Amino acid sequence: MPRLLETLRRLLNGWRSRPAADWLLTAVVLAGHGLLVVLTERGDILGAPGREQRLTIYTTGATVVALVGSFVTAAIAQYASATGRRMRVLRTAPHLASQFRRNWVSVLSATLLISGVCLLATALDTTETDPGGVHWAVEGVLILGAARAYRLLWLFNAVIQATDRDLADSPQPTAQHPPPPAPR
């Protein structure tokens, strides 16, 4: 059991350092689902509903991803403005810094791609049954979005932990050195 946990930990760490792996994960899950639908003629999650319901799903997907994009922007601002020893290491250590930058860019670019595909699908999905398969493109980007959402949570957690530890290391105000007055 400890070997399995160590192997899983290494796999997860390897995945975190390679945002491009999300594309492979997306392709495998989408192809697996497509094969399942072809073989069983059931389970086409986005193809089964009518056009109006699909359009609602597309616009809701674009809206949710746009909101997540605003959180990504806030997280990047927090990452860039945080000071302290650990945050300095995250931003400057060669391996960590490039890994964090790749992850931030991958998450931010995915939000733009997902929103764009969902909005484009509203224009391209013009029939009741979607014979062109536009809903499969939306399903693909939503799977990518799920992988990138996990990546975003990992990034948020890493930044929060580093800033919290840096804050805990900073000297605490005492009676001799009270905190500075609040701005007016």
Side-chain angles (χ1 to χ4, degrees), residues 172-179:
Q172 299 297 317
T174 63
Q176 293 175 345
H177 303 287

Side-chain angles (χ1 to χ4, degrees), residues 78-116:
Q78 178 191 3
Y79 169 76
S81 66
T83 59
R85 183 175 53 85
R86 287 174 187 85
M87 285 306 298
R88 202 170 302 112
V89 168
L90 284 179
R91 286 198 301 265
T92 60
H95 177 69
L96 285 175
S98 65
Q99 180 180 333
F100 265 73
R101 278 191 289 281
R102 279 193 314 271
N103 277 288
W104 284 122
V105 169
S106 75
V107 169
L108 187 56
S109 62
T111 60
L112 297 171
L113 175 69
I114 296 164
S115 290

Side-chain angles (χ1 to χ4, degrees), residues 10-86:
R10 270 189 277 130
L11 260 172
L12 188 59
N13 286 336
W15 177 72
R16 287 177 180 158
S17 65
R18 292 175 183 80
D22 296 350
W23 290 97
L24 178 61
L25 176 69
T26 298
V28 167
V29 171
L30 188 63
H33 181 234
L35 183 62
L36 182 71
V37 168
V38 167
L39 293 176
T40 65
E41 296 180 7
R42 302 167 106 178
D44 190 358
I45 300 165
L46 295 180
R51 180 175 182 271
E52 290 304 314
Q53 190 172 3
R54 283 194 313 271
L55 293 178
T56 301
I57 293 167
Y58 303 159
T59 55
T60 301
T63 303
V64 168
V65 170
L67 289 171
V68 169
S70 67
F71 291 126
V72 172
T73 305
I76 292 171
Q78 178 191 3
Y79 169 76
S81 66
T83 59
R85 183 175 53 85
R86 287 174 187 85

Side-chain angles (χ1 to χ4, degrees), residues 85-86 162-172:
R85 183 175 53 85
R86 287 174 187 85
T163 54
D164 285 350
R165 287 181 183 148
D166 283 342
L167 182 62
D169 289 348
S170 65
Q172 299 297 317

Side-chain angles (χ1 to χ4, degrees), residues 108-145:
L108 187 56
S109 62
T111 60
L112 297 171
L113 175 69
I114 296 164
S115 290
V117 168
C118 286
L119 292 173
L120 185 61
T122 61
L124 296 177
D125 191 343
T126 58
T127 62
E128 192 58 33
T129 59
D130 184 29
V134 172
H135 70 280
W136 286 105
V138 172
E139 184 174 332
V141 295
L142 292 178
I143 293 167
L144 176 66

